[in-house]
Structure formats: C-alpha cells, structure tokens
Amino acid sequence: MRFSSCYIPTLKESPAEAEVVSHKLLLRAGMMRRLTSGVYIYLPLGLKAIDKVSKVIREEMRAAGFQELLMPMVQPADLWKESGRWEHYGKELLRFKDRNDRECCLGPTHEEVITDMVRGEVRSYRQLPVRLYQIQTKFRDEIRPRFGLMRGREFIMKDAYSFDADAAGAEHSYKVMHEAYNRIFRRLGIAFKSVEADNGSIGGSFSHEFMVLADTGEDMIVFCNECDFAANVELVQDAGRCPRCGGDVSLKRGIEVGHVFMLGLKYSEAMHAAFLDENGHERLMIMGCYGIGVSRIIAAAIEQNHDADGIVFPPAIAPMDCILLNLDPHNAAVTEKAEELYGALRGMGLDVLYDDREERPGVKFKDADLLGAPMQLVLGARSVAGRVVECKDRHSGEKGALSLDDFASAFLNWRDNVREGWGHVTEACGK
C-alpha cells in the first residue's frame, strides 16, 4: 500500500466525542469514523485489523472442528417468543415491523435462529455433534453507548454453537472451545485471563469470560497467585482469599472480549430441539454457545498497548506489518532504493505501508508512531549513502540499522527479534 493513494485520514488532535484511549487513537489514526451514536464506519486500516483478528479466529475454529456459516441479521419475533426472550431481553433488542406487519428484531445474538435450523435438520444421534460458527454484525440498542468500539450498538462478533447428544459430549465441546479461545488470544498477543462468570441474559448452567487485562477495563477480576483460579469479582464472596485453595489473590481490571456458555437444555427444551437416541427414544440436544467480540478486540488491544505517541499493535493484529518511510521522495537515489525495499518486503509476503508522500519527515514520523505498525524502516539520503536503512521496533522503542547489501537476511533476523519481544504477554495468560 502506498500512503499517497490510501485513504488514511489521520488527525492531529482527538475529537471531543472520544473518551477512552482506544476511541481517541482509532479516530486519530483514521481507522474508523462515527456514523451515529454507537455506530461506526470501519475505514480501510481498521477493517484490515478486524480481518487479521478474524483470520486467527477462523483458523482456530476450523482446528476445533467448527464449520462456518452465516445467519441473517434480521430475525422473526416468533422464534424469540418461543424461547421466552422476546420480553425478557429488554429494550436492547431492537424490535420493528416489516411492511406485512410482522414483528422482527435485529439480532444481538443467534441462539434462537441456530436452534430453529438444527432442530429442523437433525433427527438422529448419528448426526451429532453439530458444531457451527459465524462472524457476523450484531446490534444491541444500548441505552448509553460509549467508549467507541468498547460499548457500541453495532459490532462484529464471532458466535459459535454446539449441539451434543449427552452431557459428556457437551462438556467435551465446551472444553474444546475453551482451549481454542486460549490459543486465539495467545496468538493475538494480548494479555488475558479466563475467569468464571455469570451467565447473564444468555442463560445456561456455567460460563467463562475471557478478559483482556487493562487499567481502563470496566470489570474487576480476582485471580489466585497460587493456583489457576480466576473469577469475576461479583462471584467471589471473600475477595481476599482464593475459594479453591485459600491462597492469596490479586485484583485487576479487565475488558471482556470472549464468553463461553454451557447452555444445557435452556433453548432445546423451550424450542423442542430433539433427536432419537440409539434406542429410538426422543431426547433433547445439549447446547453450548461461544462468543468473541471481534471489533471489541481491536479496542481492547489498544487499551492494553499504547503510549503517548499512539497505537502499539501486537503483530498479529496490526493492519500493516511494517511501515517504510521515504524521507526524501525528490531524491532519485533514495526513491529508487525505497521502491526496491518496498518490492522486497512485499515479496516476503508482508503487509507494507510505504509512506511515499511529499510531507515533512516530522509528519511521517508522527503518523508512523500513531498507526502502530510493529516495524518501522526509515530511508533518507544519509542512510542510502551509508548503505543502511534505519529501523525501529515500535513496541520496545529500540532503534538500529540494517545493511542494504544484505537486506533480506538482516530484515528477517530483526523481524524475528521484534516478534519475540511480544512473547512476554503469554506470561499473564490464564490456563
């Protein structure tokens, strides 16, 4: 990507509407724009970050045995009335009528839709388990949308659903997904905890939240310093001792980015999702559901990873792997070498943003830090004369120089060091 031909409308100042760091920086970095309250347009770089997160999720969903589908955002009221949630869900469910006066809603979640589909197809235990997921736009009519992507009305979510013949199978599906979530968040390079949680409006027998650790988090979590226990603080009566082993605990703030639920029979009973077992007896399917806030992950990652100059994206989330700055586009020798490096980096399979704009070096440096690419390469007349390209690790701030005569080898070694520097986050990850 050439900066001169990309739509990246960066801002020098934070808009007045922005409250938290991620909201300010996503607007300043030209990655999103507000359409109306709690509803945002994802601009090209913001969408690339979402696509990076979605790619990791899809890979781990496939590895866990889940297949992707796509369900409608508009849902008929009849299904929600059948499950009992039409009244229970409250005003966050945006209800409306179509031209034929049929009641509908915009889907905040898809338990009813998936249960209706599966009950119409699955007849025998031989067809179970069924494991499906989607990445879909959701809508919840929040009474007070705020903090940008942290608590919007429209958002992108991965939701998965499992249907099993018995409790053992359902618990296995839950465990498979719990482990997949741990792999996803580790791969994304964000520090997180898996905590025992309340089921809320989804219902079910038990659940776990996945919390990105950040000082700006709305939730308080408690975790043991001696065992792997972690829970939402509301579920712990004595926040000073671990209820499992009696050990000392610590408190941290977190941002919920994922939630896994053991639903049990909540929806299959209400909507009669049944099958015939090996003896020909009718039994109800046992369900689980599993959500990840895809767009919220972008905001949470920034809340955890930023500095005074801008975003510090983990490599797996960054919309570009590297930004290449041409400090003197009017210098033929510099531009020729910059074009050569741009081609070489793309040939390595990297997402590169080449800043070829006719702007002052100071503007380019500020935008490079603001956008948060993990790696920065800087080329000017002095560096070309010295047969080097200057480099900067956005995460550590360390600067250096790479030989232009052996660029490919030097760059790949440096890239590996940059990625290794993100390994520390796994130390904070829950089991």
Side-chain angles (χ1 to χ4, degrees), residues 82-379:
E82 190 176 354
S83 72
R85 288 206 299 175
W86 185 253
E87 294 78 18
H88 175 70
Y89 206 89
K91 292 185 177 180
E92 287 184 1
L93 187 66
L94 184 59
R95 301 162 172 85
F96 61 96
K97 291 183 179 181
D98 65 15
R99 66 172 64 195
N100 294 310
D101 211 33
R102 292 175 296 212
E103 291 183 301
C104 305
C105 66
L106 288 186
T109 183
H110 279 72
E111 283 81 12
E112 284 81 2
V113 174
I114 195 78
T115 304
D116 179 58
M117 185 192 76
V118 171
R119 72 178 174 180
E121 305 285 349
V122 174
R123 294 283 183 265
S124 168
Y125 71 97
R126 293 187 179 91
Q127 295 171 272
L128 297 173
V130 171
R131 295 173 176 172
L132 301 167
Y133 81 97
Q134 66 172 349
I135 296 177
Q136 163 71 290
T137 298
K138 309 283 191 180
F139 192 93
R140 292 177 186 162
D141 201 6
E142 293 274 358
I143 187 172
R144 197 173 294 107
R146 52 183 178 161
F147 305 153
L149 299 185
M150 295 276 283
R151 189 171 291 280
R153 292 195 296 161
E154 185 177 282
F155 52 95
I156 299 172
M157 182 176 176
K158 187 284 301 179
D159 49 318
Y161 305 89
S162 61
F163 296 80
D164 282 274
D166 54 33
E171 289 176 10
H172 178 67
S173 292
Y174 186 94
K175 181 180 179 182
V176 164
M177 187 57 75
H178 191 276
E179 292 172 350
Y181 273 38
N182 277 295
R183 290 194 300 272
I184 287 167
F185 294 121
R186 287 194 178 100
R187 285 184 60 184
L188 292 177
I190 47 183
F192 72 97
K193 286 284 185 183
S194 166
V195 306
E196 296 178 16
D198 179 68
N199 295 337
S201 61
I202 301 296
S205 52
F206 59 87
S207 69
H208 286 83
E209 290 175 338
F210 287 78
M211 312 287 289
V212 169
L213 305 179
D215 292 337
T216 50
E218 291 186 279
D219 297 303
M220 184 68 74
I221 61 175
V222 56
F223 58 92
C224 184
N225 300 315
E226 299 176 34
C227 72
D228 62 357
F229 174 82
N232 194 303
V233 73
E234 285 83 4
L235 299 183
V236 181
Q237 292 181 346
D238 179 5
R241 310 298 297 179
C242 175
R244 183 177 298 167
C245 72
D248 293 332
V249 299
S250 296
L251 295 173
K252 279 188 179 290
R253 290 199 170 276
I255 301 165
E256 181 191 341
V257 292
H259 209 153
V260 293
F261 299 87
M262 175 61 77
L263 292 177
L265 302 177
K266 176 178 171 63
Y267 294 92
S268 54
E269 189 170 53
M271 301 180 70
H272 197 69
F275 67 98
L276 297 180
D277 66 16
E278 58 269 33
N279 298 315
H281 298 144
E282 186 177 83
R283 294 171 56 189
L284 296 174
M285 302 176 206
I286 302 178
M287 290 177 59
C289 75
Y290 320 93
I292 289 180
V294 178
S295 49
R296 181 181 259 210
I297 284 175
I298 305 301
I302 294 172
E303 291 293 331
Q304 189 180 86
N305 301 285
H306 67 272
D307 60 20
D309 297 315
I311 300 168
V312 185
F313 271 122
I317 296 176
M320 74 293 288
D321 300 308
C322 178
I323 184 166
L324 171 63
L325 280 61
N326 180 345
L327 297 186
D328 194 354
H330 296 292
N331 185 313
V334 173
T335 296
E336 180 182 2
K337 182 53 67 174
E339 293 284 348
E340 182 183 321
L341 294 186
Y342 179 48
L345 292 165
R346 294 179 69 195
M348 296 176 195
L350 297 172
D351 274 327
V352 186
L353 179 61
Y354 172 34
D355 195 343
D356 59 338
R357 297 175 298 169
E358 295 183 5
E359 283 282 5
R360 300 187 311 276
V363 172
K364 296 189 176 188
F365 285 129
K366 283 186 176 298
D367 279 348
D369 282 343
L370 174 62
L371 295 175
M375 297 176 285
Q376 297 179 11
L377 296 176
V378 182
L379 204 60

